[in-house]
Amino acid sequence: MVEDGGEEEAEGESGEMPTAAAPLQRCNGFLPGKEAAGGGRAAPAGGGEQAAPEAEEMLPAGGVRPEARLETRLSRRRLAVLAVFSCYSLVNAFQWIQYSILSNVFAGFYGVSFTQIDWLSMVYMVAYVPLILPATWLLDARGLRLTALLGAGLNAVGAWLKCGSLAPQRYPLTLAAQAVCAVAQVFILGLPSRIASVWFGPTEVSTACAVAVLGNQLGTAIGFLLPPVLVPNTPNDIDLMAHNISIMFYGTAIVSTLLFFLAGVVFEEKPKYPPSHSQAVLQNKPPEDYSYKQSIINLFKNIPFILLLISYGIMTGAFYSVSTLLNQMIVTHYEGEEVNAGRIGLTLVVAGMVGSIICGLWLDYTKTYKQTTLIVYILSFIGLLVFTFTLDLGYLIVVFVTGGVLGFFMTGYLPLGFEFAVEITYPESEGTSSGLLNASAQIFGIIFTLVQGKLTTDYSPRAGNIFLCAWIFVGIILTALIKSDLRRHNVNSGIMNLDVKAVPVDSPVEPESTTLKIQSAL
């Protein structure tokens, strides 16, 4: 474990943040709303010694002790936290897709319909919606460490329960075990942006979020690749099939348990020093000033966030639907190609992982959140159209290529949505905004999977994919309407932004003032 004394100070990230000039009035759960006396200009970005006026204004009521000086440093532990989280998120995603990619195998093993096997995937989406608000409350009220341990622990419990379902008549038990893993997912999916913001500096926060999301994507990729290899279709030998399934289930349970213990060793609530000025402002706020209810209200009053909430749900829900039904789509046109269906899924997700990292690096370099999000959305639409109309050509190599292109943009979009949401909703909790985005994705995922599955079964895979294309086109329009207001970036860089206001300030603002006012509702 890295001691605080061993933390390295990153170049350009160390600074001091002086106290507010006078007691300030709090306008919402996070930030004060009263202008500091004398309204000065914002300090230049990267100024280590100079005080940031906007940071002064956002300090909590009563300020801090005069001798208290807030430094910003990067902790070595941040890399270990990110790695462990990515690994247990990987295992959770693997457990989500391991049934769907072998839908025909598990349908034969348990003696159930394809729809019942689809529910082993959709239970992840169903569980998320009612539990997301309690989970985000827990994250905000009890903190990052407890939430991380719950996610890793429940993941291991669900994996061990599956080991007891290795018999054809035990479908209800495997469904219950998958439901436990689905609850674990609620404590996992909302953490990437929180971990990135709390542990990483402003020049690496988007990349860190992309890496955290990448862990989940990598789990999906392994879930496409490994199960068809471990569990070949042996309908005439159920005992052999049960043995092969047991190898997959027990292996997953052992890895999940090890990762739970690693999470207990590595995870801490936050680093000793905040990694950025925006985090320094938030961490200096007294806990009693936070209101979870007010935070939710502020988010739902934020029109750009509502537009992003819907458009993110459409794109990610479409990805969930395609992932769940990929085996059925491929086997419809290429009978007996279960292994290649898994490889196509792997290609789709690995390409998306590359897209995620590239998009994260691009955002850290350019901060062009809306432009990048819109371009990736449009290219995802084009990719799905090409995939749809080339799926039945009879050439698997074409499906591999089009699936890779689709995955590069569609799954590459996921961290973009998280980071864009954090920017336009700052200073609201990253866990709450990410949780609501994921809830939207689960709702759309359930609807899309049911409708696309019905269209695929009754008509053809093309009909189901055209249905998704129509919805993604709607998402493009909604994304184009989002107002790009990069609040967190403005605080970190000292750029003024006078348009972000929730309530009138008590003191008048001089026309020449460039004081940054960050308040939550629009």
Side-chain angles (χ1 to χ4, degrees):
M1 295 176 63
V2 179
E3 299 296 330
D4 292 331
E7 293 174 348
E8 290 184 337
E9 182 177 335
E11 183 179 356
E13 287 301 317
S14 175
E16 299 175 3
M17 196 170 294
T19 60
L24 303 175
Q25 177 182 356
R26 178 172 59 86
C27 72
N28 56 35
F30 288 95
L31 301 180
K34 188 170 181 177
E35 185 179 18
R41 291 189 179 272
E49 304 87 327
Q50 297 181 5
E54 69 276 7
E56 293 185 22
E57 295 186 7
M58 291 188 293
L59 289 174
V64 295
R65 297 189 309 273
E67 66 273 15
R69 289 158 47 148
L70 299 177
E71 298 183 36
T72 60
R73 295 185 184 181
L74 297 180
S75 167
R76 295 174 186 168
R77 182 184 290 270
R78 74 193 192 282
L79 301 178
V81 169
L82 183 62
V84 171
F85 170 78
S86 297
C87 287
Y88 77 74
S89 177
L90 179 156
V91 175
N92 185 259
F94 174 84
Q95 295 196 81
W96 165 59
I97 205 66
Q98 66 184 169
Y99 292 100
S100 295
I101 198 60
L102 294 172
S103 56
N104 56 331
V105 174
F106 278 104
F109 180 73
Y110 287 116
V112 296
S113 66
F114 279 103
T115 300
Q116 288 173 286
I117 298 301
D118 289 344
W119 273 106
L120 292 171
S121 171
M122 288 190 291
V123 69
Y124 265 59
M125 310 175 201
V126 172
Y128 196 91
V129 177
L131 295 177
I132 183 54
L133 290 181
T136 53
W137 173 85
L138 185 73
L139 175 61
D140 291 336
R142 296 293 181 264
L144 181 62
R145 175 177 165 81
L146 177 61
T147 304
L149 290 177
L150 275 173
L154 289 172
N155 205 36
V157 171
W160 282 109
L161 285 175
K162 290 180 183 181
C163 297
S165 66
L166 295 169
Q169 68 274 17
R170 296 181 184 175
Y171 171 81
L173 179 57
T174 208
L175 178 61
Q178 189 75 333
V180 174
C181 295
V183 175
Q185 174 214 215
V186 180
F187 299 102
I188 294 174
L189 289 187
L191 291 190
S193 57
R194 170 63 69 93
I195 290 173
S197 295
V198 171
W199 285 90
F200 289 82
T203 61
E204 59 187 13
V205 63
S206 295
T207 304
C209 182
V211 171
V213 173
L214 181 144
N216 200 266
Q217 295 173 349
L218 182 59
T220 304
I222 296 174
F224 279 125
L225 177 66
L226 201 55
V229 175
L230 293 176
V231 189
N233 192 9
T234 56
N236 298 323
D237 193 343
I238 297 299
D239 290 337
L240 177 59
M241 185 180 293
H243 172 72
N244 292 333
I245 294 173
S246 72
I247 294 174
M248 179 170 66
F249 282 175
Y250 277 104
T252 304
I254 292 170
V255 172
S256 299
T257 304
L258 290 175
L259 288 171
F260 169 68
F261 287 114
L262 274 177
V265 171
V266 169
F267 264 85
E268 287 186 354
E269 191 58 43
K270 60 184 178 181
K272 181 177 179 180
Y273 299 99
S276 65
H277 290 295
S278 60
Q279 277 299 305
V281 170
L282 294 183
Q283 290 182 14
N284 198 50
K285 177 190 67 67
E288 61 271 15
D289 284 355
Y290 175 72
S291 169
Y292 179 71
K293 178 181 177 181
Q294 186 60 47
S295 179
I296 295 292
I297 293 173
N298 291 340
L299 288 174
F300 279 101
K301 287 182 178 179
N302 188 326
I303 301 303
F305 175 71
I306 295 299
L307 293 173
L308 180 61
L309 186 69
I310 299 172
S311 60
Y312 182 90
I314 291 172
M315 175 66 80
T316 311
F319 167 69
Y320 290 162
S321 182
V322 169
S323 300
T324 300
L325 300 171
L326 183 63
N327 174 273
Q328 296 178 40
M329 287 190 280
I330 299 301
V331 173
T332 297
H333 296 298
Y334 306 91
E335 188 174 352
E337 294 289 353
E338 291 88 358
V339 173
N340 273 323
R343 290 171 180 167
I344 291 169
L346 173 68
T347 302
L348 186 147
V349 179
V350 169
M353 291 161 54
V354 176
S356 294
I357 295 298
I358 291 175
C359 289
L361 292 170
W362 177 255
L363 288 183
D364 278 332
Y365 179 72
T366 66
K367 303 299 180 183
T368 54
Y369 289 86
K370 178 178 176 178
Q371 297 93 320
T372 305
T373 301
L374 182 59
I375 290 171
V376 170
Y377 218 117
I378 293 171
L379 293 175
S380 297
F381 173 72
I382 296 172
L384 185 56
L385 278 177
V386 173
F387 177 80
T388 298
F389 289 99
T390 58
L391 182 61
D392 58 353
L393 293 181
Y395 299 99
L396 268 175
I397 186 63
V398 175
V399 183
F400 271 97
V401 173
T402 57
V405 173
L406 175 63
F408 181 88
F409 296 112
M410 183 173 275
T411 61
Y413 170 84
L414 304 184
L416 292 179
F418 280 154
E419 282 298 288
F420 196 14
V422 173
E423 288 291 340
I424 64 178
T425 62
Y426 180 87
E428 307 301 343
S429 167
E430 303 91 347
T432 305
S433 61
S434 298
L436 291 174
L437 288 181
N438 282 318
S440 175
Q442 309 301 332
I443 293 171
F444 278 102
I446 294 169
I447 296 171
F448 288 170
T449 301
L450 291 173
V451 175
Q452 187 185 10
K454 183 69 173 175
L455 292 172
T456 299
T457 302
D458 293 352
Y459 298 97
S460 68
R462 176 175 293 185
N465 285 330
I466 290 175
F467 166 78
L468 292 184
C469 288
W471 275 99
I472 291 178
F473 183 76
V474 173
I476 292 174
I477 297 173
L478 295 177
T479 302
L481 296 175
I482 297 174
K483 179 183 177 183
S484 183
D485 185 9
L486 308 183
R487 304 179 179 189
R488 182 181 65 179
H489 172 62
N490 291 343
V491 171
N492 284 329
S493 63
I495 301 173
M496 72 171 184
N497 186 345
L498 302 177
D499 295 329
V500 187
K501 295 182 180 179
V503 293
V505 295
D506 294 341
S507 58
V509 179
E510 295 297 328
E512 68 275 13
S513 173
T514 58
T515 301
L516 174 67
K517 303 299 294 182
I518 299 284
Q519 301 177 1
S520 295
L522 293 177

